[in-house]
Amino acid sequence: MKRRDFIKNASLTGVGLTVGNSLLNCAENSSEKTKKEMTITTNKSKNPIAICTWGFVNANAKAGEELSKGIKALDAAIAGVSVEEKNLKNTTVGKGGAPDREGNVTLDACVMDSNGDCGSVVCVENITNVAELARRVMTETPHVMLAGLGAEEFAYRQGLEKDNLLTEASKKAWKEWLKSPEYKPLINIENHDTIGMLCMDTDGDIAGACTTSGLSYKMKGRVGDSPIIGSGLFIDNAIGGAVATGMGEEIMKTVGSFLIVELMRNGMSPQKACEEAVNRITNKNDRYKDFQIAYIAMNTSGDVGSYCIHKGFTYMKYQNGVNKNVHSDYFIKS
Ligand code: SD4
């Protein structure tokens, strides 16, 4: 059953009616908030923008070019991140990603569209384009998330090809790691290259995608923030969007991307919202020096912000045909 039919059936059984009534009540009681949202929506930019975590020049250029042609935000974001999923040199995304400590490459991804719909896959083996697979979960099932073998089998039914994700180079690096395997996921400042991308299209709509192989040599079955809606990615088309990279466990504990969008809803700029989301982590976790967290965010006016714990995080921004690498501000100054 497709999601549309599922939702239609649900409303026939009364679920939709209940939601509808509560929304009505909510609207009556929150005229201030509605006014604020309307102001933000009025400022809606229609100038295509693509931003993504880290220095993924080609992926961001691909998304930016698609947007400039008038392609919708979600299509552009998936086209963009798939460049990295196919990039064998990227050892934390897609094919060529580092395996878990038992040698299995397992991928996590999610997508979120401007209409608030979303899809996610976790711990998937043998499929390279997991962001596309997450989109299929969104459009072709009544669900948001599929895991492991179920997600993989669904991928084959959708016509996605089986692929061996463990490259010779990743296998060699893993074998090397096995010689003195230390499981210290906290000390992982350098080894983060997840791609999270936000796109604004020529209609001013925002959508995003996030895809990763997660922590290198992770425990079998470990899933990070990247495929978790609200943690690795969140979009509200009336407000903006945010994506995360870094130590997933800490991002999940603060539901980082959702937090940033909510802070923007309450009037913060994307920059201030990213700073506040990092502060939430550094304020309550005194081990923050041992891990990296980085956020990027964009609002409906096309303003962009970014903040991270450690120096060294950069992001890409494509706007007006220019694709540039931007150094993020950071928390630990000395
Ligand atoms: C995770 N956030 O699985 C991801 C890791 C990451 O670049 O960002 N890697 O926790």
Side-chain angles (χ1 to χ4, degrees):
M1 190 182 352
K2 296 209 173 179
R3 180 186 304 248
R4 265 191 310 278
D5 304 328
F6 179 78
I7 289 167
K8 202 166 92 195
N9 289 349
S11 59
L12 285 175
T13 59
V15 176
L17 195 66
T18 316
V19 172
N21 282 343
S22 63
L23 277 180
L24 276 178
N25 292 339
C26 191
E28 276 167 19
N29 295 335
S30 60
S31 57
E32 269 316 300
K33 188 173 139 248
T34 311
K35 257 189 250 156
K36 203 186 283 174
E37 283 181 8
M38 277 169 62
T39 318
I40 295 170
T41 312
T42 318
N43 291 336
K44 206 169 177 176
S45 165
K46 298 204 169 176
N47 186 1
I49 302 173
I51 59 173
C52 77
T53 53
W54 303 107
F56 296 125
V57 180
N58 297 337
N60 208 56
K62 174 73 181 167
E65 284 154 17
E66 295 291 282
L67 291 168
S68 305
K69 286 189 248 163
I71 299 292
K72 288 300 292 173
L74 184 65
D75 293 326
I78 293 173
V81 299
S82 78
V83 170
E84 283 310 315
E85 290 175 333
K86 286 181 279 198
N87 177 3
L88 304 189
K89 291 199 179 122
N90 184 330
T91 56
T92 43
V93 180
K95 183 166 177 159
D100 64 17
R101 57 187 180 180
E102 292 169 41
N104 310 302
V105 182
T106 63
L107 304 182
D108 300 330
C110 73
V111 299
M112 190 153 189
D113 206 354
S114 47
N115 62 3
D117 222 348
C118 48
S120 158
V121 290
V122 302
C123 220
V124 186
E125 293 182 54
N126 302 315
I127 303 292
T128 300
N129 293 125
V130 277
E132 174 58 31
L133 182 58
R135 184 229 297 260
R136 302 292 179 94
V137 172
M138 176 179 89
T139 58
E140 306 303 321
T141 81
H143 307 301
V144 165
M145 185 181 280
L146 285 184
L149 199 53
E152 188 182 338
E153 288 173 1
F154 170 67
Y156 302 140
R157 291 200 296 279
Q158 286 293 308
L160 276 75
E161 275 174 24
K162 183 168 185 160
D163 204 356
N164 176 10
L165 304 181
L166 188 64
T167 57
E168 278 311 311
S170 300
K171 194 170 175 178
K172 204 169 147 205
W174 167 61
K175 290 254 161 88
E176 204 48 44
W177 176 81
L178 280 177
K179 288 181 188 163
S180 49
E182 265 194 291
Y183 195 57
K184 279 191 179 172
L186 271 184
I187 302 168
N188 207 328
I189 292 156
E190 305 298 332
N191 190 18
H192 284 297
D193 289 312
T194 293
I195 183 162
M197 183 178 280
L198 299 172
C199 288
M200 178 187 285
D201 62 30
T202 47
D203 293 322
D205 290 329
I206 300 174
C210 190
T211 175
T212 190
S213 56
L215 290 180
S216 304
Y217 319 129
K218 60 196 174 187
M219 277 179 73
K220 186 175 184 177
R222 181 265 182 192
V223 171
D225 62 301
S226 305
I228 310 296
I229 298 297
S231 290
L233 167 71
F234 195 73
I235 311 278
D236 182 328
N237 204 39
I239 306 298
V243 278
T245 180
M247 182 53 65
E249 281 71 6
E250 301 305 320
I251 297 164
M252 284 192 276
K253 286 179 206 168
T254 48
V255 202
S257 294
F258 180 74
L259 173 62
I260 290 170
V261 173
E262 290 309 296
L263 292 168
M264 292 196 292
R265 187 191 307 280
N266 288 319
M268 276 193 196
S269 66
Q271 180 60 35
K272 284 280 169 239
C274 288
E275 289 173 18
E276 175 59 22
V278 167
N279 289 343
R280 290 280 170 102
I281 294 169
T282 53
N283 280 345
K284 68 173 193 174
N285 188 332
D286 52 16
R287 290 171 304 158
Y288 67 81
K289 287 191 177 146
D290 294 333
F291 54 81
Q292 173 70 305
I293 303 281
Y295 292 112
I296 59 174
M298 174 161 62
N299 66 15
T300 50
S301 309
D303 304 321
V304 165
S306 168
Y307 202 61
C308 58
I309 297 179
H310 292 269
K311 186 178 180 180
F313 171 68
T314 67
Y315 66 95
M316 295 300 306
K317 180 178 178 192
Y318 183 106
Q319 190 172 22
N320 300 325
V322 179
N323 194 29
K324 62 177 180 185
N325 190 231
V326 184
H327 287 261
S328 172
D329 194 8
Y330 48 93
F331 181 75
I332 301 177
K333 297 287 186 200
S334 55

